[in-house]
């Protein structure tokens, strides 16, 4: 007999969060909404624009909520990632990354029929590839020169290199230099607040020095974009950035949650993985039904979430492909172990690659499923 | 203007592998086909059945190729994972894992209308949940008692516990005890061959001891299933396992590739990630367009593949979300760095969670795309 049914959905609106199948990715709408507002208010107070990074959530409903609250558009990290956001009606997207292939440039130039699009460059040949693609499509692109402010990844090293690229961009009528991108990923997770402040100040200072030399050379930078969820409280007041591009603040994963935030700008955990205890046979530990295929562990193992805080009694100690091993923090405290079949909530270590594992995000309010949002850009890394 | 086009496919049959967009997951069909045959021949020679683990590939086309070559069926690790395989016509599936929720039991009992299905237990309440679900659906399930042979994860500890579960299963007319599962994941990646051999022998000895006690108690185990790609050369000759369930051998990731295999049973690398150099601005390194969202790094960073072997000149040193940083192994050997826009092939560190990131697997032969296979069970961890 041929198979006559599809897999049931992750959740159904109106359902109790305790009734949905596991593992499932849960967005708690109350703290999520507060996070969206808090970042927008911080940007507004400082007079900088907020362009949240959609690589963190890959979810058009979240992008539209951010824009409704005041964001000027979104960032994407890959050209393909932008497709579902353009389809959902987002009209202003910055690809905060370089591309070096005619295939990707052609897709970007095609998307530019439907939205205002910008992209980074750090090499003359990337500019020529973009120029050829926009010429073929008959469209326009904004271009940002990326400068390396200490990350050691992409970006040119100094002002002369940036000026040379600016001249190259100016030679192509379908490309417009919009400004500079200066992002330092490496400082986002410095745990100590003062160390993060000083590192962000250094990055801003390097950016400011390049800007000054560009101005002398007559290169106008209308927009300076950068900043992440760990540095943004310093970036907004730097006087250098006109636009910030944090992403993870909507969720606050365990990695960002491990930073110290003595200042006023802190965000709440809104993203959880609902799991079920599937085996208790070992006696001194329990086994959850969520492992490497349900969470990214590159930035550490997840926290167990209990009563609105990271559990002091239980620890997720190892992730296998589809199993999570949970032990009491205090050896022998077996009374703390949850029963077979019971639910355990996790805060993932790193939100961006965790979202990239799920096709749906279950939005809940007060413990009740309100909506199931497609993670429409999941897997779109081309 | 509304968006009027979908994202182009990852590849088109007939295309050169060098022309496809990146990052993409590539299966080289020649070594893949040899791997499938080599494992089947090893099982056949030893007189044990081969039931490959589909959690490694999540791809119905691969499962059907394994079955066509002699496999008796497949393993899945989750109930939802089995759905696309049942839909593709696989008629014998073992869920090599416990389930502890009525929702999952109901789906399993429903799937049992379409295929022969079995599942593991290590607790009496799991048996009762399965019994209730099969009663409601009017279907039958085979059941395996899992024993812990040193992994410290799921499974009962000893023969008395297994006998108690066997009696419980016997009380339910819609459940049939099929045998034992004894899998030790922890020994699969012991690098030293003799250490792996001794650990596999110990696990087999523990399994044999439980089997002997079960036989005395009158509990028949028609099937004893277990073994992975790292231990299978020992498991097939153990005299204990009637069925082996390796998965990764079809691909051979970098983690399994780091084991020593002095014996005859070794497998070839068939799985690659095609990437593009997207930035060379830093001068002393290059940046690839594939990072954490294009590969799992839990078992180590990928190898750079060049001329049929792991590169001795280049090293993938760090994975960011969408960037991979590549440096020369010998500082200053800048001549070894690939040019902007050029292609770099990677062997992923861990195949199972890497497949779980991609919607499609591009099957190539002799450098030409032959087919694009859906990774139909991607993300199905429920």
């Amino acid at each position: 007999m041929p198979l006559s049914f599809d897999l049931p959905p992750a959740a159904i609106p109106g359902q109790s969060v305790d009734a949905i199948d596991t593992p499932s990715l849960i967005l708690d709408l109350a703290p999520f909404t507060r996070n969206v507002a808090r970042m927008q208010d911080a940007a507004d107070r400082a007079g900088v624009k907020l362009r949240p990074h959609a690589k963190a959530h890959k979810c058009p409903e979240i992008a539209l909520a951010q824009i409704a609250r005041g964001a000027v558009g979104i960032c994407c990290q890959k050209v393909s990632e932008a497709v579902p956001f353009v389809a959902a009606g987002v009209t202003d997207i910055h690809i905060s990354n370089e591309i070096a292939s005619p295939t990707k440039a052609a897709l970007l130039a095609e998307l530019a029929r439907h939205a205002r699009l910008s992209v980074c460059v750090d090499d003359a040949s990337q500019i020529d590839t973009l120029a050829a693609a926009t010429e073929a499509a008959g469209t326009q692109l904004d271009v940002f020169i990326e400068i390396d402010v200490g990350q050691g990844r992409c970006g040119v090293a100094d002002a002369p290199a940036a000026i040379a690229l600016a001249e190259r961009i100016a030679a192509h009528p379908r490309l417009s230099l919009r400004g500079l991108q200066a992002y330092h990923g490496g400082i986002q997770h410095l745990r100590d607040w003062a160390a993060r402040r000083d590192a962000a100040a250094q990055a801003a200072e390097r950016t400011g020095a390049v800007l000054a030399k560009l101005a002398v050379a007559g290169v106008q930078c209308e927009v300076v974009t950068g900043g992440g969820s760990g540095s943004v409280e310093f970036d907004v007041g730097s006087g250098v950035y006109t636009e910030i591009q944090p992403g993870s603040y909507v969720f606050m994963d365990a990695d960002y949650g491990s930073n110290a935030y003595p200042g006023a700008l802190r965000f709440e955990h809104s993203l959880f993985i609902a799991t079920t205890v599937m085996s208790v046979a070992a006696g001194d530990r329990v086994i959850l039904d969520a492992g490497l295929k349900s969470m990214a562990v590159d930035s550490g193992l997840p926290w167990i979430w209990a009563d609105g805080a990271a559990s002091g009694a239980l620890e997720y100690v190892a992730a296998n492909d589809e199993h999570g091993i949970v032990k009491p923090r205090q050896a022998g405290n077996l009374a703390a172990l949850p029963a077979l079949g019971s639910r355990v909530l996790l805060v993932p270590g790193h939100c961006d690659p965790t979202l990239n594992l799920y096709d749906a995000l279950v939005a809940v309010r007060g413990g009740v499923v309100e909506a199931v949002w497609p993670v429409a850009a999941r897997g779109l890394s081309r």
Side-chain angles (χ1 to χ4, degrees), chain A residues 321-340:
Chain A
D321 278 6
E322 295 278 20
H323 300 88
I325 300 177
V326 171
K327 291 186 178 177
R329 287 186 189 274
Q330 198 184 330
N333 181 19
L334 303 183
L337 289 171
L340 185 67

Side-chain angles (χ1 to χ4, degrees), chain A residues 1-26:
Chain A
M1 196 192 315
L3 188 66
S4 54
F5 65 96
D6 286 329
L7 190 63
I12 298 164
Q15 227 175 3
S16 160
V17 69
D18 295 327
I20 70 179
D21 200 9
T22 64
S24 282
L25 197 60
I26 307 287

Side-chain angles (χ1 to χ4, degrees), chain A residues 20-52:
Chain A
I20 70 179
D21 200 9
T22 64
S24 282
L25 197 60
I26 307 287
L27 180 68
D28 193 344
L29 288 168
F32 161 76
T33 305
R34 289 192 292 270
N35 288 343
V36 168
R38 195 166 289 141
M39 187 64 89
Q40 188 64 54
D41 291 344
D44 291 348
R45 272 196 306 274
V48 305
K49 303 228 165 93
L50 173 60
R51 182 184 292 278

Side-chain angles (χ1 to χ4, degrees), chain A residues 40-313:
Chain A
Q40 188 64 54
D41 291 344
D44 291 348
R45 272 196 306 274
V48 305
K49 303 228 165 93
L50 173 60
R51 182 184 292 278
H53 216 306
K55 81 183 184 71
H57 55 69
K58 289 181 169 280
C59 176
E61 281 78 0
I62 292 182
L64 295 173
Q66 292 170 317
I67 290 166
R69 192 59 180 72
V72 295
I74 60 168
C75 294
C76 287
Q77 196 74 326
K78 295 292 187 83
V79 178
S80 66
E81 193 175 61
V83 172
F85 293 100
V86 173
V90 177
T91 56
D92 191 336
I93 300 180
H94 172 52
I95 311 294
S96 58
N97 209 355
E98 287 74 12
I99 60 173
S101 93
T103 306
K104 293 180 200 301
L107 178 58
L108 184 61
E110 190 62 30
L111 283 174
R113 295 189 198 287
H114 310 278
R116 180 172 193 175
L117 280 159
S118 57
V119 65
C120 292
V121 298
D122 66 2
D123 191 282
S125 76
Q126 294 156 353
I127 296 168
D128 298 342
T129 302
L130 294 171
T134 48
E135 196 56 50
T139 53
Q140 300 279 335
L141 285 173
D142 289 334
V143 179
F144 283 78
I145 297 168
E146 182 164 28
I147 59 170
D148 181 7
V149 288
Q151 165 96 330
R153 196 170 69 183
C154 304
V156 298
D158 54 27
I163 292 166
L165 294 182
E167 289 167 356
R168 190 91 164 208
I169 293 164
H172 291 294
R174 294 190 175 278
L175 304 180
S176 310
L177 177 64
R178 192 87 193 283
L180 288 190
Q181 174 168 295
Y183 175 69
H184 193 330
I187 69 179
Q188 302 301 323
H189 294 93
L190 293 174
R191 298 302 180 213
D192 180 66
W193 184 84
R196 221 158 61 244
R197 178 197 61 197
D198 296 348
Q202 265 193 349
E205 194 182 310
R206 290 177 71 160
T207 306
V210 171
L211 277 172
K213 289 182 187 159
L214 289 180
V216 168
V219 176
Q220 297 304 316
C221 289
E222 181 195 343
V223 177
V224 180
T225 185
S229 296
S231 67
V232 75
E233 63 178 311
F234 316 112
D235 300 327
V236 293
S238 67
V240 168
Y241 296 97
T242 68
E243 186 177 284
I244 52 169
Q245 46 175 256
S248 303
Y249 72 96
V250 293
F251 298 138
M252 283 301 283
D253 54 30
D255 193 11
Y256 271 116
S258 299
N259 281 358
Y261 300 96
L265 196 60
R266 32 183 324 136
F267 297 90
E268 302 170 59
H269 296 287
S270 69
L271 185 73
F272 305 94
I273 301 168
T275 74
T276 300
V277 175
M278 51 165 282
S279 173
V280 299
D284 61 343
R285 70 200 68 184
V286 303
I287 313 302
L288 303 182
D289 62 353
L292 295 172
K293 289 181 180 168
S294 302
M295 68 193 71
V297 300
D298 61 278
S299 302
L301 293 171
W303 294 345
I304 292 173
W305 195 250
D307 303 320
S311 171

